[in-house]
């Protein structure tokens, strides 16, 4: 049998039927071993050498990719049978004297210690169902899923929406969808998402040439570049003229339905990029940077860990539930709760004048502009993601600092529930419903806990976060007192929010650790979900308003 | 002006007059409301709050209530309402959650009267009590409704909906104490104003937010609701459970509903997004609006009937910053533009025709033609005597024309479909079988075609292979495959001469084939031009033995025929292989609207094959020095086109399937697809599901093939908790029980589950079938006499 790349077939693994999975795995196992055997003899004395750790590198004819994938399966497949078997295959390959990869990094997130996350295999029934769903539809269980599973209720809705956007009926062809995902993720230099979707893009038969840069993609997609840029960084500048341009250029014009699909995809991936950086998602095991063929070195951590200040020793200190919390941070939670209580109580008494309210919004808007990360660390772009986007200089500009005066967006005049939903559902049926559910779950998700305290009504805090994000995009709620934000969100938290939402690529572990030190990781992930959804809604509102204006 | 005269009397000498007119506002309006005497209207929005008086032919600005230097958010109104008892009293709901009342009797410029800042979120709606002067109700985004007594500083009572934001509140007109509230989650609640602790009644009215509601001004138990799900529903609240009595489907989410005064069944609606028109519906006729106002350029945000008892004047405000007065006689009536006739063919050739009664009766004196068995059925709606005017003549007539039993019978189609064999046997057998079927139904021409196909495609292969091996003698010892071949079926075109020639020896086969093919061509031409049935009573004396030889299989050379064998198809395969074909659905969508095959289309078929298909290459090589069967392909193609054009797509598709790769590349994909879809459509209309599925499976078109891969999901509910089972079909996540147990073997059924619709017990298909052989009672012992079809 020849070694053709296509010979290793992974499709069977995505079955829910254990028997067909087993058959597929046997098949893979045989192929891999056969191919390994052809390499093994090259090193004439493999077995003795193996002891010295000098194994034959497997980096030829794609075998290493196969092995990496097997490694991923052995760690991340929700089905125990697959995990065991792929592990067995790997160890047999190793016996043949071929170097096998090992995972780099520590679990799905660089910010969250691996032991705090849900381990594949230890999940409960509901989580398992979600994992299995994710695995059977995507063929993998990605790190985003593993982190989001802290909140299974949300994850379910998230996966459903993403599946619908990428794989179900829709106006855009499949490879376009992934390409748009790449375009959107690349705006934030999110190599994690770009890598994932490059693979998917090729898998659905996309033209590899497009990946050399946007200028190699069809004109139609190039036209979308401008909208992508603005949506990602300054959505308030989108006008109906931009929409008109996309819809009216004769040859490569978009239809309204396609445009809605594209806009939903763009916003989805912009905000997902925020999540990826906000939670410090590690590269997938089978992607670049997720595994290594090097044997474990003397020092037990690798370079990327150092750059993130992630040391085995450090762990104790940074762990939020660690045993030696400083007294200061204990007070943090109590102080926050106290403030919430105060606001709740005195709300009826204290009557701010209308002018006062208006200025509070302006002030918050202005202040949000000064909140910026003091540490301007350059994140190291791993893959040459920059190919996928042009005009690197175009970034988030503070809403209020911007030269010309942009009128405040009033939610009461154009809200998601009343207007956005109807428009999306009209042009891209069912997606409105799915997004609505997702926003709803994200906004209302609560376990009534705060750090170690139970039975807390967190709605005020959640609303403050949500409105703060919208405030950064210039969206105003008439019925909200923006003074509350100042009371509830402290500076380090604001820095984190602003960085994740506006310039996610600059997020660092230090920022993640320095806010809300007493809180659980799951609560920080919860915050990230709010950020993701609020950002997505803000972008959508601007884009949809422009489309509505175009239509009338 | 007969109508006007009537209005005049209705209003007691206080007639409204006017025309369709509008005025520009400075800013988009959010809501409007009229004064009791119908002479003034108030317009409120984020940046506007003005009162206009309605003159004979224009709006005149009377008062600007937005005073003060700094615009306060209190002026930014989401809703406005004018008291129907006191013409100096107004209330507005501000977007910042404040409820404001205004007293026009105040001498100062600022008419603001009272300020209630109790709501935490935007107030969506305010509503005055219809008979009580000082009672005001508000509904807010924070999920609370509050009742205010205007003589006090604070709210009298607070009602908690416990279910998300309140979108609308309306006092009932009949019951002094009742009001209705609608919510963002689709619920409608009825409250008693005296009992703030709990709602009286709650029901789910819509899927998604309910934006508005309106009590019927006369029919007292009726409540109309409109929601984001694009529906307007009318509920009868007199019964203990709210009953949906009418439902109107609109094209966009419904922002406002308002019953039309004096017209029991009419209701005006406007939408939240996309659609700018105002519609007036007759709720009994939910498919077409009875009137439509198309003046606005942006979404209409507020509608109100100008006077409580006048159905002809409608006021509306819009985001396009205009205020309109619409006059009913200027409304466009979509019914005028609708097609008043309907025509439909039934499966068996009957024709139904529906039209306005007047149209039918006018030509009733025409002579009925022979064979016209007309069964006129008349549907007449009784006119409602209380209805003052009737825009739509709502009586129509339906006539059904039956065709002759003999000529229109489609029995042959059903029989043919059921009896044809399409796969699973060698080509020759299939052709012969199908020829016999056609013959049995007196369709001689089709039978001829099948026979000829057998000769063209099947005999060639065998003859050549036997020739190559010089194994005639040996071959004759082999078992003839077609013992029952009927000589009568030999087409006339194959003259006895060629037959005889062939029997003489192998050396001349080439020429003979040439001959026979040429005669074949002639024959086909005849058929096509005349379309006549060729009498098939030929008997060819002594060639019988040779005939058998012709259809022999050579055991040493089975290549050509072996391709034909495949495992017998089971009628109901448990699982078919899923071909992962992501583009298939898209593909399907593209083609879905392409018209079915018709005569014209068949002519446009291009001769060049669209794609090159891999032929059975092995059999090809065998013919190298002979006339390839491809030679006949153009003729066969023409035959198929001919049949399709005649409307007999059945034959065309059957031949296409039986011949498979031999002919496929000759006909372009599009045409094939049309044939398939037409045939499948026909089969499904005759409810021949199994056959249609077989055809889908056997088809080689990708677009057709994926038809039975779409929507293959079957949703099951758990038999215990009645909730959907998400993961596996046989175990319920919630009650952790196996839902579908076999009543016979008491094991879990994971595959085909069959159950009785009467008692809902069931089990493995096999087990139940076995059981029913011996007993007709339910195996579960419930005593039900199970019925299975």
């Amino acid at each position: 049998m020849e070694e053709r790349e296509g010979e290793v077939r992974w499709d069977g693994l995505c079955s829910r039927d254990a028997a067909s999975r087993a058959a597929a795995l046997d098949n893979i196992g045989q192929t891999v071993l056969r191919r390994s055997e052809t390499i093994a003899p090259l090193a004439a004395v493999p077995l003795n050498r193996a002891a010295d750790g000098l194994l034959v590198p497997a980096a030829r004819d794609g075998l290493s990719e196969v092995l990496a994938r097997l490694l991923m399966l052995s760690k991340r497949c929700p089905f125990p049978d697959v995990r065991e078997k792929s592990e067995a295959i790997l160890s047999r390959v190793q016996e043949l004297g071929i170097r096998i990869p090992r995972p780099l990094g520590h679990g799905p997130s660089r910010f969250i210690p691996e032991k705090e996350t849900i381990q594949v295999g230890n999940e409960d029934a509901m989580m398992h169902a979600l994992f299995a769903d994710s695995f059977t539809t995507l063929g993998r269980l990605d790190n985003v899923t593993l982190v989001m599973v802290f909140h299974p209720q949300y994850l379910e809705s998230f996966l459903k929406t993403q599946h619908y956007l990428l794989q179900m009926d829709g106006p855009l062809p499949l490879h376009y969808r992934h390409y748009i995902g790449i375009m959107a993720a690349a705006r934030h230099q999110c190599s994690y998402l770009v890598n994932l979707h490059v693979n998917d893009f090729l898998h659905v038969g996309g033209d590899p040439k497009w990946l050399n840069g946007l200028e190699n993609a069809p004109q139609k997609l190039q036209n979308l570049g401008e909208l992508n840029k603005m949506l990602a960084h300054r959505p308030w500048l989108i006008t109906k003229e931009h929409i008109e341009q996309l819809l009216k250029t004769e040859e490569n014009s978009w239809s309204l339905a396609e445009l809605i699909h594209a806009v939903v995809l763009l916003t989805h991936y912009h905000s997902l990029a925020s999540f990826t950086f906000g939670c410090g998602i590690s590269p997938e095991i089978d992607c670049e940077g997720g595994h290594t063929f090097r044997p474990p070195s003397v020092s037990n951590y690798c370079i990327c860990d150092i750059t993130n200040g992630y040391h085995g020793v450090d762990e104790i200190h940074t762990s939020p539930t660690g045993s030696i919390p400083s007294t200061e941070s204990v007070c943090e939670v109590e102080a926050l709760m106290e403030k919430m209580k105060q606001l709740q109580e005195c709300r009826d008494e204290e009557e701010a004048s209308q002018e006062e309210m208006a200025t509070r919004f302006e002030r918050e808007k202005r202040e949000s502009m000064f909140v910026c990360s003091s540490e301007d660390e350059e994140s190291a772009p791993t893959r040459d993601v920059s190919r996928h986007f042009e005009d690197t200089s175009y970034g988030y500009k503070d809403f209020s600092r911007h030269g010309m005066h942009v009128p405040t967006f009033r939610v009461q005049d154009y809200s998601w529930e009343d207007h956005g939903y109807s428009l999306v559902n009209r042009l891209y049926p069912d997606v409105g419903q799915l997004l609505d559910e997702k926003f709803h779950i994200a906004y209302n998700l609560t376990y009534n806990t705060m750090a170690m305290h139970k039975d807390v009504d967190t709605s005020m805090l959640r609303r403050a976060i949500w409105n703060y994000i919208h405030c950064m995009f210039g969206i105003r709620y008439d019925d909200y007192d923006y003074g509350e934000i100042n009371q509830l969100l402290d500076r380090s938290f604001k820095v984190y929010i602003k960085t994740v939402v506006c310039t996610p690529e600059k997020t660092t572990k230090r920022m993640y650790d320095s806010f809300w030190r007493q809180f659980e990781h799951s609560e920080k992930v919860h915050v990230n979900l709010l950020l993701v959804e609020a950002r997505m809604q803000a972008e959508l509102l601007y884009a949809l308003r422009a489309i509505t204006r175009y239509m009338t | 002006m007969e109508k006007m005269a009537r209005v005049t009397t209705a209003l007691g000498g206080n007639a409204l007059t006017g025309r369709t007119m509008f005025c520009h506002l400075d800013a988009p309006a959010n809501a409007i409301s009229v004064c009791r005497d119908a002479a003034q209207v108030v317009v409120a929005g984020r940046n506007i709050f003005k009162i206009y008086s309605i003159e004979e032919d224009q709006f005149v600005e009377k008062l600007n209530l937005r005073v003060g230097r700094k615009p306060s958010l209190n002026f930014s109104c989401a809703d406005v309402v004018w008291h129907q008892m006191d013409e100096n009293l107004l209330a507005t709901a501000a977007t910042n959650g404040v409820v404001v009342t205004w007293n026009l009797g105040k001498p100062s410029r600022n008419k603001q009267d009272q300020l209630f800042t109790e709501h935490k979120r935007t107030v969506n709606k305010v509503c005055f009590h219809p008979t009580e002067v000082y009672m005001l109700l508000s509904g807010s985004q924070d999920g609370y409704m509050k009742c205010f007594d205007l003589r006090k500083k604070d709210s009298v009572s607070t009602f908690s909906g416990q279910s998300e934001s309140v979108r609308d509140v309306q006092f009932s007109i009949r019951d002094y104490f009742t009001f209705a509230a609608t919510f963002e989650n689709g619920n409608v609640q009825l409250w008693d104003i005296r009992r703030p602790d709990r709602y009286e009644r709650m029901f789910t009215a819509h899927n998604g937010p309910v934006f508005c509601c309106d009590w019927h001004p006369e029919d007292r138990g009726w409540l109309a609701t409109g929601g984001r799900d694009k529906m307007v529903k009318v509920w009868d609240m007199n019964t203990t459970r709210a009953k949906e009595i009418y439902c109107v489907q609109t094209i966009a989410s419904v922002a406002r509903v308002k019953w039309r005064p004096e017209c029991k069944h009419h209701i005006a609606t406007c939408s939240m997004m996309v659609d700018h028109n105002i519609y007036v519906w007759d709720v009994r006729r939910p498919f077409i609006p009875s009137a439509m106002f198309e003046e606005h350029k942006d979404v209409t945000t507020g509608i109100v009937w100008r006077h409580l008892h006048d159905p002809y004047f409608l006021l509306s405000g819009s985001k396009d910053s205009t205020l309109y007065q619409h006059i009913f006689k200027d409304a466009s009536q979509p019914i005028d533009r609708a097609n008043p006739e309907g025509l439909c063919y039934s499966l068996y050739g009957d024709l139904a025709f529906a039209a306005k009664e007047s149209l039918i009766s006018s030509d009733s004196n025409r002579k009925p033609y022979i064979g016209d068995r007309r069964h006129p059925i008349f549907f007449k709606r009784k006119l409602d005597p209380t209805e003052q005017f009737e825009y739509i003549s709502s009586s129509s007539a339906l006539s059904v024309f039956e065709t002759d039993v003999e000529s229109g019978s489609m029995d042959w189609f059903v029989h043919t479909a059921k009896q044809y064999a399409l796969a699973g046997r060698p080509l020759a057998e299939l052709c012969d079988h199908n020829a016999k079927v056609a013959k049995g139904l007196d369709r001689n021409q089709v039978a001829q075609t099948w026979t000829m196909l057998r000769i063209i495609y099947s005999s060639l292969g065998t003859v050549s292979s036997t020739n190559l091996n010089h194994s005639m003698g040996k071959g004759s010892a082999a078992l003839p495959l077609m013992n029952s071949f009927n000589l009568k079926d030999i087409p006339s075109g194959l003259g006895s001469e060629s037959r005889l020639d062939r029997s003489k020896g192998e050396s001349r086969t080439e020429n003979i084939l040439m001959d026979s093919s040429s005669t074949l061509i002639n024959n086909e031409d005849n058929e096509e031009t005349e379309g006549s049935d060729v009498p098939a009573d030929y008997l060819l004396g002594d060639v019988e033995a040779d005939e058998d030889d012709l259809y022999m299989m050579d055991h040493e050379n089975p290549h050509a025929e072996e391709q034909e064998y495949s495992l017998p198809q089971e009628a109901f395969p448990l699982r078919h292989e899923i071909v992962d074909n992501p583009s298939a659905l898209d593909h399907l969508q593209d083609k879905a609207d392409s018209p079915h095959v018709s005569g014209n289309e068949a002519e446009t078929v291009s001769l060049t094959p669209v794609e090159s298909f891999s032929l059975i290459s092995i059999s090809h090589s065998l013919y190298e020095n002979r006339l390839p069967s491809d030679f006949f392909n153009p003729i066969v193609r023409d035959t198929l086109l001919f049949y399709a054009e005649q409307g007999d797509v059945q034959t065309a598709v059957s031949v296409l399937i039986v011949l498979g790769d031999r002919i496929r590349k000759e006909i372009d994909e599009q045409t094939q697809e049309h044939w398939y879809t037409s045939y499948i459509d026909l089969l499904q209309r005759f409810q021949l599901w199994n056959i249609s599925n077989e055809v889908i499976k056997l088809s080689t078109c990708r677009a057709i093939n994926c038809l039975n891969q779409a929507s293959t999901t079957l949703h099951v509910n758990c038999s215990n908790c009645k909730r959907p089972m998400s993961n596996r079909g046989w175990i319920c996540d919630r009650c952790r029980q196996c839902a579908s147990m076999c009543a016979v073997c008491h094991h879990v059924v994971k595959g085909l589950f069959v159950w009785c619709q009467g008692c809902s017990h069931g089990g493995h298909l096999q087990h139940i079938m076995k059981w029913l052989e011996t007993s007709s009672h339910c195996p579960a012992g419930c005593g039900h006499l199970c019925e299975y079809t």
Side-chain angles (χ1 to χ4, degrees), chain B residues 24 35 123 167 200 263 415 537 608 636 651 659 676 707 711 729 780:
Chain B
H24 282 291
C35 176
V123 179
R167 297 308 298 244
E200 299 267 279
C263 303
H415 285 300
D537 52 356
T608 48
V636 177
T651 307
L659 292 183
Y676 275 120
L707 274 182
S711 69

Side-chain angles (χ1 to χ4, degrees), chain B residues 716-725 728-741 748 753 759-761:
Chain B
V716 216
N717 281 9
C718 171
S719 56
N720 290 321
C721 62
K722 310 276 182 276
R723 270 181 293 177
M725 298 197 286
R728 286 161 293 240
W730 57 88
I731 186 161
C732 178
D733 287 338
R734 288 192 183 75
C735 43
R736 310 223 163 263
Q737 266 189 13
C738 290
S740 41
M741 306 284 277
V748 184
F753 185 71
C759 63
S760 67
H761 291 117

Side-chain angles (χ1 to χ4, degrees), chain A residues 129 174 347 354-355 410 412-413 417-419 421-423 426 436 440 463 476 478-479 548 552, chain B residues 46 70 72-74 95-96 120-122 164 167 211 228 251 253 273-274 276 319 582 727:
Chain A
L174 293 177
R347 196 194 250 150
Q354 290 312 307
E355 294 74 32
R410 308 274 187 157
Q412 269 76 8
D413 291 346
E417 285 80 13
D418 294 4
H419 306 92
Y421 169 90
S422 302
L423 183 65
R426 186 186 181 86
D436 198 38
H440 210 263
R463 196 169 163 215
R476 178 172 179 193
D478 280 350
D479 51 359
T548 310
T552 52
Chain B
R46 173 171 293 282
K70 275 194 220 148
S72 152
L73 271 184
N74 291 350
T95 49
N96 61 352
K120 292 185 194 113
R121 307 279 310 265
T122 300
E164 283 198 59
R167 297 308 298 244
F211 287 138
R228 193 172 72 179
I251 58 168
S253 54
M273 273 292 283
V274 193
H276 312 155
K319 281 232 163 122
N727 288 323

Side-chain angles (χ1 to χ4, degrees), chain A residues 223-377:
Chain A
N223 290 347
L224 198 64
E226 181 73 11
L227 186 70
N228 179 24
K229 201 168 71 179
M230 286 203 294
L231 263 182
H233 306 297
R234 301 169 204 171
W236 51 87
L237 293 181
I238 298 173
T239 59
K240 74 173 186 188
E241 282 73 29
H242 294 113
I243 304 296
E244 196 169 345
Q245 244 168 13
L246 285 173
L247 297 174
K248 280 279 167 66
T249 41
E250 275 75 31
E251 222 174 304
N252 305 300
S253 71
W254 291 75
S255 75
L256 262 177
E258 286 172 334
L259 184 64
I260 292 277
H261 194 170
V263 162
V264 174
L265 278 171
L266 286 175
T267 52
H268 179 83
Y269 281 102
H270 290 154
S271 47
L272 196 57
S274 283
F275 183 84
T276 312
F277 285 111
C279 292
I281 301 294
S282 332
E284 292 296 330
I285 292 181
D286 58 335
C287 283
E288 249 179 271
H291 61 270
T292 178
F293 284 89
R294 279 184 301 141
S297 55
V298 194
S299 54
N300 229 347
Y301 48 78
C302 47
I303 305 132
C304 64
D305 289 339
I306 303 171
T307 53
N308 290 318
Y310 191 79
H311 304 258
V313 201
D314 247 11
E315 217 169 289
I316 308 155
H317 295 294
T318 51
S319 165
T321 48
S323 48
I324 36 169
S326 60
T327 40
E328 172 210 3
S329 53
V330 176
C331 304
E332 213 178 24
V333 185
E334 266 80 46
L336 184 56
M337 288 181 66
E338 191 54 41
K339 270 182 198 156
M340 280 169 67
K341 204 182 269 169
Q342 264 172 23
L343 281 173
Q344 198 91 50
E345 281 160 0
C346 61
R347 196 194 250 150
D348 303 324
E349 293 136 41
E350 171 238 18
E351 273 314 323
S353 72
Q354 290 312 307
E355 294 74 32
E356 172 66 17
M357 297 291 257
T359 46
R360 277 183 194 171
F361 174 74
E362 294 303 324
R363 193 173 59 216
E364 203 52 52
K365 223 164 69 179
R366 244 190 344 269
E367 269 176 17
S368 79
M369 166 174 123
F370 301 117
V371 172
C372 50
S373 50
S374 46
E375 39 203 326
D376 253 347
E377 289 176 43

Side-chain angles (χ1 to χ4, degrees), chain B residues 33-274:
Chain B
S33 185
V34 283
C35 176
R36 183 179 50 166
D37 62 7
Q40 296 181 78
V41 58
V42 58
V43 183
R46 173 171 293 282
N47 295 312
I48 183 174
F49 190 21
K50 280 181 181 172
I51 291 178
Y52 288 87
S53 75
I54 310 165
E55 310 276 315
E56 182 70 21
D57 48 18
Q58 62 177 334
F59 290 103
V60 176
E61 185 180 325
K62 282 272 297 261
L63 190 62
N64 187 356
L65 290 158
R66 250 177 107 80
V67 290
R69 274 164 288 114
K70 275 194 220 148
S72 152
L73 271 184
N74 291 350
F75 289 112
S76 158
C77 307
D79 191 33
V80 65
V81 63
W82 204 319
H83 206 297
Q84 293 303 304
M85 308 275 297
D86 181 350
E87 57 187 30
N88 278 330
L89 198 53
L90 283 113
T92 58
T95 49
N96 61 352
V98 181
V99 176
V100 193
T101 59
W102 310 79
N103 187 355
L104 300 181
K106 268 189 165 182
S108 66
R109 262 187 79 222
N110 191 349
K111 311 285 185 195
Q112 186 171 321
D113 194 15
Q114 263 180 301
L115 216 64
F116 301 100
T117 50
E118 292 185 27
H119 284 294
K120 292 185 194 113
R121 307 279 310 265
T122 300
V123 179
N124 287 318
K125 196 79 188 174
V126 282
C127 175
F128 278 116
H129 196 276
T131 52
E132 196 67 47
V133 181
Y134 296 109
M135 205 184 279
L136 175 69
L137 189 65
S138 67
S140 155
Q141 197 75 16
D142 60 14
Y144 292 101
M145 294 142 279
K146 288 183 187 279
C147 184
F148 303 98
D149 185 329
L150 300 185
R151 293 162 295 194
K152 291 182 186 163
K153 283 189 87 126
D154 294 318
S155 62
V156 193
S157 42
T158 301
F159 310 87
S160 167
Q162 307 282 2
S163 56
E164 283 198 59
S165 312
V166 188
R167 297 308 298 244
D168 198 357
V169 283
Q170 291 288 338
F171 275 111
S172 164
I173 291 162
R174 171 174 62 173
D175 302 314
Y176 184 89
F177 296 111
T178 308
F179 71 90
T182 70
F183 290 84
E184 205 147 81
N185 59 2
N187 287 343
V188 172
Q189 295 179 353
L190 284 198
W191 289 81
D192 186 318
I193 205 89
R194 295 162 296 185
R195 286 199 57 193
D197 54 329
R198 216 189 122 74
Y199 53 82
E200 299 267 279
R201 200 194 291 183
M202 176 166 84
F203 59 94
T204 303
H206 290 267
N207 184 11
V210 191
F211 287 138
C212 52
C213 66
D214 195 29
W215 291 95
H216 198 285
E218 303 158 30
D219 211 315
R220 311 202 135 193
W222 285 12
L223 179 73
T225 57
R228 193 172 72 179
D229 58 359
K230 307 177 189 175
M231 308 249 231
V232 177
K233 289 179 178 174
V234 180
W235 305 87
D236 186 355
M237 312 294 275
N238 290 318
T239 46
T240 43
R241 278 195 58 180
K243 202 173 82 190
E244 182 187 325
I245 44 176
Y246 296 109
C247 177
V248 177
Q249 175 89 47
T250 67
I251 58 168
S253 54
V254 184
R256 312 262 178 201
V257 290
K258 280 276 180 284
W259 287 101
R260 188 174 175 201
E262 313 285 319
C263 303
K264 192 177 172 202
H265 292 104
H266 285 204
I267 192 163
T269 68
C270 66
S271 74
M272 182 78 87
M273 273 292 283
V274 193

